[in-house]
Amino acid sequence: MNQNKTKYSLSNWELVSVNPNDKNWDWKDLFCFWGNNIQSVIGFSLIGSLYLVYELNAFIVFFGCLLGSVFVYFFSDMIGRPSQKYGLPFPVILRSSLGITGAKYFALFRGLVGLFMFGIQTYFLSKLFSYLIRIFIFSFDATLLEQDFFLVFLLGLNLIDWVAFIFTVVLQAHLFSKSHKFNRTIIRFSAITVYSGMLLFFLILLLYDVKIISAAFVDIFSINNILDTGNIVPLMTVAGSIFAYFSVVVVNYGDFTRYIKDKNELKKGNLSLILNLLVFSFFAVFITVGSDIFLNKNLENMERILTNPTDIIGKIGNVQITVIVLFFIIFSSASTNLIANYIPTQNSLLNFLPAKLNLKSTSLTIAILGFIIGIFWLPLLSQIGILAFVDTFASFFGPLFGVMVVDYYLIKNSNLENKDIFSLDKNSLYFYSNGWNIKALYALILGFIFSASTIWNESLMIFQSFSWMIGAFITSLTYYLLASK
């Protein structure tokens, strides 16, 4: 009995194949998933900034975004199919490629990146709550904010900031650890709510002056020199920027596709990414242009146009609108934190200690470590360039994708042994050499070197947007040549 338990100690209730009754996600859930990924302050600012960088030449940015989303669709579809078929999350599928021990440690890289970003994004999310608290206090008694106890700072945070930060950490840990069914509800609710908010803001701006704002928006769709060969580099740059934005969630996409009903729903859901990007880009650009006209009565110099939604509402100066928009931003930021950071970290930790962790203990671990990262973000971590090291860890994502895809489709012919993937038996298929697939490891390290070089080598930094693809290509080619012999 004990021997059998040890043999399958890699099992965990949250990591085993999804119950067929729970494989009930459809394309609409993936539409909301991709919506949550783009519906963030960073996503809004990225889209708006791309249009400004190219002087609102909408066609260059439009086709660049379209090309980037096609890349994301192509890679997401490949990495999502194994998890959809077997109902297994990313770290478990990785066991079949890297070996049970290799996957234990390399999946943890995804978890570490997610953990750092969870803490950082929680810090910025707490700032939104602190704004709401300040607005409430100010509306109640404006003199309260001038009291001495609100002017005492610890690690760059005052009393209001600390209350908001602790509340944000506890709230997320409580909500996100309930179940995958509840997380599905969060994803759906957030996507619909944020799009509704953007539609509302769009209508407010449009009705402010239909003729002027519509004309300004139409003017940015210039077709002059659209076929100029000089547009090729900007086009690829935009495509690379869009892909780089989504690349962080591609490698662990299986954490979500494991719940999809069938391949057709998966395919339609992946195509909804393109629809999401088009809809969100339309709203983002219209709101950016319309807000500038609303605030300044004309389309100002490109460099002065605001692209950050918090900057836009701050300049409007209307308390009611500010509160409403802050709630929409809170929904979008929290759901993005769930998808891009919390769930990947949760599954990576469960895979690392499957016999000891569960949803609650993992949630507590993420909350504590995220709390520490968040409180030290402003006074320490942001000052020492920690994000460069986080990006270096993320340089493994493309190579991990390359190994998994080649191994699953070309080496194993799309077949996995579910029982062996949870087994510590030395004779099991995925034990390899003491739990490591040496050929995959060699290819992975080689791909990582090429990918990370775009971060640390100044002469290669121009290719940083494509570092994920570079790492994936080098690794997949190397692994195929080694493993196919």
Side-chain angles (χ1 to χ4, degrees), residues 52-157:
L52 297 186
V53 166
Y54 298 105
E55 298 182 344
L56 294 180
N57 189 326
F59 281 106
I60 290 178
V61 182
F62 173 80
F63 286 114
C65 289
L66 190 62
L67 180 60
S69 63
V70 169
F71 286 148
V72 178
Y73 164 79
F74 178 69
F75 290 118
S76 297
D77 192 60
M78 285 195 293
I79 200 70
R81 287 185 187 182
S83 291
Q84 188 282 319
K85 180 178 179 180
Y86 292 98
L88 299 171
F90 153 70
V92 177
I93 296 292
L94 187 60
R95 293 176 184 176
S96 66
S97 303
L98 285 181
I100 56 175
T101 305
K104 177 180 179 180
Y105 291 101
F106 277 97
L108 200 58
F109 282 119
R110 180 63 184 94
L112 290 174
V113 171
L115 184 59
F116 264 96
M117 297 312 299
F118 175 82
I120 294 169
Q121 189 153 330
T122 297
Y123 167 80
F124 286 108
L125 179 58
S126 71
K127 290 306 227 180
L128 302 175
F129 283 109
S130 69
Y131 294 153
L132 290 174
I133 294 173
R134 284 180 169 85
I135 291 172
F136 174 77
I137 294 176
F138 185 83
S139 63
F140 180 73
D141 186 349
T143 61
L144 281 177
L145 293 176
E146 300 175 2
Q147 299 300 313
D148 291 341
F149 55 84
F150 283 136
L151 302 178
V152 177
F153 288 82
L154 176 63
L155 297 175
L157 305 176

Side-chain angles (χ1 to χ4, degrees), residues 204-337:
I204 291 174
L205 291 173
L206 179 63
L207 296 177
Y208 168 72
D209 194 322
V210 177
K211 185 176 180 180
I212 294 178
I213 293 181
S214 297
F217 184 74
V218 171
D219 285 344
I220 70 175
F221 288 90
S222 172
I223 60 175
N224 295 331
N225 302 320
I226 191 173
L227 298 178
D228 192 333
T229 55
N231 290 332
I232 296 177
V233 173
L235 186 73
M236 295 306 298
T237 302
V238 173
S241 298
I242 293 298
F243 182 83
Y245 176 84
F246 284 105
S247 64
V248 70
V249 298
V250 172
V251 70
N252 66 284
Y253 187 41
D255 290 338
F256 304 92
T257 60
R258 62 189 299 214
Y259 302 110
I260 301 297
K261 291 178 182 178
D262 52 51
K263 290 188 294 185
N264 290 331
E265 293 295 329
L266 176 62
K267 185 175 182 179
K268 289 188 291 185
N270 289 337
L271 285 171
S272 72
L273 160 67
I274 300 174
L275 177 60
N276 261 295
L277 199 57
L278 295 179
V279 172
F280 187 83
S281 296
F282 171 81
F283 281 136
V285 175
F286 191 96
I287 291 172
T288 298
V289 173
S291 297
D292 189 75
I293 295 174
F294 176 81
L295 294 169
N296 304 297
K297 312 305 178 187
N298 67 296
L299 192 61
E300 285 196 340
N301 184 285
M302 300 300 174
E303 296 179 356
R304 300 180 59 187
I305 297 178
L306 301 176
T307 59
N308 189 308
T310 55
D311 293 337
I312 293 174
I313 63 171
K315 195 171 181 180
I316 290 176
N318 183 289
V319 175
Q320 288 76 21
I321 291 178
T322 298
V323 170
I324 293 172
V325 174
L326 281 176
F327 272 111
F328 285 127
I329 297 176
I330 286 172
F331 287 135
S332 66
S333 299
S335 60
T336 302
N337 215 12

